[in-house]
């Protein structure tokens, strides 16, 4: 697959995932939706491992990565799916667009990486200002409980970012697809337990749209998206790859508006644009001045 096609595929997958999560909740509980998604995802990941002959390492040194990734995935997805009940789908992508900012702060504090340059800090502040605009007065965000829904998704962002930073310390050289399968293997019993505790009932009937959304998330969102992202990591510079998080929030808002009839107030669009601007500044820095404005050496 060519790099442009892979890049466009990741943008499309990340932009459609929030809408698919919203649709997967129809007819069943949030715990059932995420549990069933992980079952489909694990089966797909194992099938791909067998078909490609990559192998599924289970020796002692790989289990820290599986355990860290599995518990992080469980906390992230459970909070995301619970919060998705109360907010519009596009807002999921807007909030998750903050992940690079949170991850860079954690990496600087935890891994001692020099990621907090003055320009990046300005970008963070701009994105946080956009988040304040999105919250606004809480009207038109999905439901009267939109505030707690957004708080749950923000918690998911922090859990996901902490998991990414921790994984960087323990992942080693395990193939990405094997890590995907191992992470799902660890998280699946946790999702099953959460379903039994919160609900435990098989839905009496599931709309076709919900079934297709669960299958889409399990196959494409959980397995293909991960594989393509790692493929791009090997063939693109990090700055260009990070721009995916700038594009997807606004695209997800458009998809939610036109495919799910989500009428969002102007404050959300303005906040999303401000967050994207902050993300761009954080990832790419200030654009270079045209040659005519540059100071000439004396």
């Amino acid at each position: 697959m060519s790099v442009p096609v892979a890049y466009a595929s990741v943008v499309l997958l990340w932009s459609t995932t929030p809408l698919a999560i919203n649709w997967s909740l129809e007819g069943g509980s949030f715990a059932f939706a995420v549990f069933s998604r992980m079952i489909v995802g694990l089966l797909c990941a194992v099938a791909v491992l067998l078909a490609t002959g990559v192998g599924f390492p289970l020796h002692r040194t790989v289990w820290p990565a599986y355990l860290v990734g599995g518990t992080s995935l469980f906390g992230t997805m459970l909070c995301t799916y619970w919060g998705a009940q109360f907010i519009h789908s596009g807002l999921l992508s807007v909030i998750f667009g903050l992940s690079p900012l949170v991850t860079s702060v954690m990496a600087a504090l935890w891994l001692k990486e020099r990621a907090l340059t003055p320009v990046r800090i300005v970008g963070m502040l701009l994105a946080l200002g956009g988040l304040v605009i999105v919250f606004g007065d809480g009207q038109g965000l999905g439901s009267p409980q939109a505030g707690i829904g957004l708080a749950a998704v923000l918690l998911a962002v922090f859990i996901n970012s902490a998991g990414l930073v921790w994984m960087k310390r323990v992942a080693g050289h395990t193939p990405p697809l094997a890590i995907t399968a191992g992470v799902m293997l660890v998280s699946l019993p946790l999702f099953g337990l959460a379903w039994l505790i919160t609900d435990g009932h098989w839905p009496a009937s599931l709309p076709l749209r919900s079934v297709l959304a669960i299958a889409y998330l399990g196959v494409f969102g959980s397995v293909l998206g991960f594989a393509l992202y790692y493929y791009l990591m090997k063939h693109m510079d990090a700055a260009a790859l990070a721009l995916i998080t700038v594009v997807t929030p606004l695209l997800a808002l458009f998809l939610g508006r036109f495919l799910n009839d989500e009428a969002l107030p102007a404050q959300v669009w303005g906040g999303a644009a401000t967050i994207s601007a902050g993300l761009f500044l954080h990832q790419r820095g200030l654009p270079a001045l045209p040659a005519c404005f540059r100071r000439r050496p004396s």
Side-chain angles (χ1 to χ4, degrees):
M1 179 181 289
S2 68
V3 171
V5 171
Y7 193 91
S9 298
V10 172
V11 170
L12 182 62
L13 285 171
W14 286 16
S15 301
T16 54
T17 291
L19 185 58
I21 289 176
N22 183 278
W23 287 351
S24 71
L25 296 173
E26 298 173 356
S29 67
F30 78 95
F32 171 81
V34 67
F35 180 40
S36 55
R37 170 186 177 174
M38 290 304 148
I39 292 175
V40 174
L42 179 59
L43 291 175
C44 183
V46 171
V48 174
L49 284 174
L50 293 174
T52 57
V54 172
F56 188 15
L58 295 173
H59 48 80
R60 181 170 56 88
T61 58
V62 300
W63 278 102
Y66 293 166
L67 292 172
V68 169
T71 53
S72 171
L73 179 66
F74 171 71
T76 299
M77 288 296 180
L78 201 68
C79 291
T80 299
Y81 272 71
W82 186 83
Q85 301 175 101
F86 309 112
I87 62 176
H88 289 312
S89 66
L91 290 175
L92 288 177
S93 185
V94 172
I95 303 303
F96 261 93
L98 298 171
S99 292
L101 310 183
V102 179
T103 302
S104 65
V105 172
M106 290 186 174
L109 297 177
W110 196 355
L111 302 179
K112 307 304 180 183
E113 294 183 358
R114 293 188 174 183
L116 299 182
T117 63
V119 173
R120 283 194 162 192
I121 292 175
V122 172
M124 290 179 184
L125 294 175
L126 185 61
L128 291 176
L131 184 62
V132 173
I133 296 173
V134 168
F135 271 90
D137 56 8
Q139 300 298 316
L141 302 183
S143 76
Q145 294 82 30
I148 58 173
L150 287 169
V153 178
L154 274 174
L155 177 59
V157 169
F158 278 93
I159 295 173
N160 180 63
S161 298
L164 288 175
V165 175
W166 199 356
M167 281 285 287
K168 188 173 181 179
R169 303 184 66 173
V170 300
H173 301 288
T174 307
L177 189 58
I179 290 180
T180 302
V183 164
M184 290 184 178
L185 182 65
V186 169
S187 66
L188 189 61
L190 299 176
F191 285 116
L193 184 61
W195 174 55
L196 289 174
I197 292 174
T198 61
D199 179 36
H201 294 92
W202 191 270
S205 63
L206 282 174
L208 178 60
R209 187 166 75 168
S210 178
V211 174
L212 293 176
I214 290 172
Y216 174 81
L217 291 167
V219 175
F220 296 99
S222 299
V223 180
L224 181 62
F226 191 91
L228 288 176
Y229 187 72
Y230 270 85
Y231 171 79
L232 290 174
M233 286 180 64
K234 295 180 180 180
H235 295 85
M236 295 183 65
D237 62 272
L241 187 59
L243 287 181
I244 294 175
T245 60
V246 178
V247 177
T248 51
L250 293 174
L251 185 55
L253 286 175
F254 278 107
L255 290 173
R257 176 67 184 90
F258 293 106
L259 296 182
N260 210 37
D261 198 27
E262 296 175 355
L264 293 167
Q267 72 186 46
V268 172
W269 294 95
T274 305
I275 289 174
S276 293
L279 286 168
F280 182 87
L281 191 60
H282 178 269
Q283 300 295 345
R284 298 298 297 267
L286 293 170
L289 288 172
C292 59
F293 290 103
R294 295 175 190 168
R295 186 176 180 179
R296 295 177 180 175
S298 54

